Amino acid sequence: MAATQEEIVAGLADIVNEIAGIPVEDVQLDKSFTDDLDVDSLSMVEVVVAAEERFDVKIPDEDVKNLKTVGDATDYILKHQG
Amino acid sequence: MSSTNRTVVVTGIGATTPLGGDAASTWEGLVAGRSGVKPLEQEWAAEQAVRIAAPVAVEPTEVIPRPQARRLDRSAQFALIAAQEAWKDAGFEAKAGEDSSVDPDRLGAVIASGIGGVTTLLDQYDVLKEKGVRRVSPHTVPMLMPNSPSANVGLAVGARAGVHTPVSACASGAEAIGYAIEMIRTGRADIVVAGGTEAAIHPLPIAAFGNMMAMSKNNDDPQGASRPYDVARDGFVLGEGAGVIVLESAEHAAKRGARVYAEAVGQGISADSHDIVQPEPEGRGISHALQNLLERTDLDPAEIVHVNAHATSTPAGDIAELKALRKVFGDDADHMAVSATKSMTGHLLGGAGGVETVATVLALYHRVAPPTINIENLDPEAEANADVVRGEARKLPVEGRIAALNDSFGFGGHNVVLAFRTV
């Protein structure tokens, strides 16, 4: 069953917490991964791989650069999840 | 003072070892004659011929925040913990630049390990095989590269004068400190954070060292297994951890009023050119390193009262070193209290030179030589060549200038001798 927007944000919050140590409540739709959440380019790869697994979605490398904010990633997953 | 022959001193000390999570608890354990060796309880250990090791007393993930720890190999975690302790111990409050008493352009870092990020390499290979290409961590390369501990310590303290990683197996940590002394002596830097680290308690290195017949298989008596100079010694016990010191030009240390533990007098270096793993049995290469030390420094053998020996508890290596000390120093060897601290910490490979330098410097500072434990029957060849500190710590002369050596030798025939003395 496809995840809701709320479930995706919560899932991304868990992933970002695990990888960057940011409190889950700070992971909001308008937050930038690099500027607000301490996710650098290498850690972004980890976030993407963890999200792919969790939400059964493929995020090709060329699309990763467009995922600047938690909202960008959430919309992408909503649209592409299997 | 000539800019190419400056006096170098030790102003900070840090360690995380099988005996304690910092230099003070490590020193306390050494003086008390405590063993850090334990049975390996991991599932993989059951099928190993060697089922003992000396793990660190404090897990690094209890000290380093998780997001930072998960992108550092265990060897770099150890190095960072020891370096941060040493940095603070030297009196610095922040990284170079932020702490205005340190110019980043005059600060270096030289941290070495013998094997590098071996657990990262092997763990990620397991991930590749079990979960596929996509799951291999993007942090793998910066974690496993042998210069990772050095680079991460350099980043933490803000070092811009140069960050280096000499690799010479079990002599690596000592070679790093020797390199750092030269950086300051020749004027390349005013301060260098230097030491050794190792994290190799993993089934592959243990199987490999075990098959070389290099490790003790005394699984029934873990705490008694590492027994340098005992007639029944049967190989080393693998330890892990790091030892790091802050080296500084005497002038720079004096200017900022730093506490000085000891002078780093210099180093002697040689290579055996004998065998890829076997030590030259008469200690010729080691003698050469000791002579090199005397030629390159103003060290007076009459002042040397203590030697932290390499002594790993292997049948051949332990005696070759003592023969070399006797050959080079003659009767002066009579007043050198020889301690094999690996009897307590196990052998930290590339970390050994770092941890044992910490032990050597603290031995001078406190004027106490730690013991060699587990000697039930002293090898007659050890007794004939050296004054081994057995069983209990021994006081060193309370007055006058005294000096001490830290020996480290590595597979490949690398010999490094470091000399320190009181100020």
Side-chain angles (χ1 to χ4, degrees), chain A residues 19 38-43 46, chain B residues 66-73 76-77 137 139 142-143 148 152:
Chain A
I19 290 168
D38 279 348
V39 177
D40 63 15
S41 61
L42 291 187
S43 293
E46 288 187 286
Chain B
R66 193 185 57 192
Q68 190 182 10
R70 65 195 299 285
R71 48 201 304 175
L72 293 173
D73 181 78
Q77 294 173 1
S137 168
H139 301 296
M143 283 171 76
S148 183
N152 278 291

Side-chain angles (χ1 to χ4, degrees), chain A residues 6 9-10 29 43-44 46 48-49 60 67 69-70 73:
Chain A
E6 202 176 320
V9 175
L29 286 172
S43 293
M44 190 62 196
E46 288 187 286
V48 165
V49 171
L67 308 181
T69 65
V70 175

Side-chain angles (χ1 to χ4, degrees), chain B residues 54-74:
Chain B
V56 287
V58 177
E59 271 300 306
T61 45
E62 289 175 25
V63 184
I64 299 178
R66 193 185 57 192
Q68 190 182 10
R70 65 195 299 285
R71 48 201 304 175
L72 293 173
D73 181 78
R74 192 171 170 84

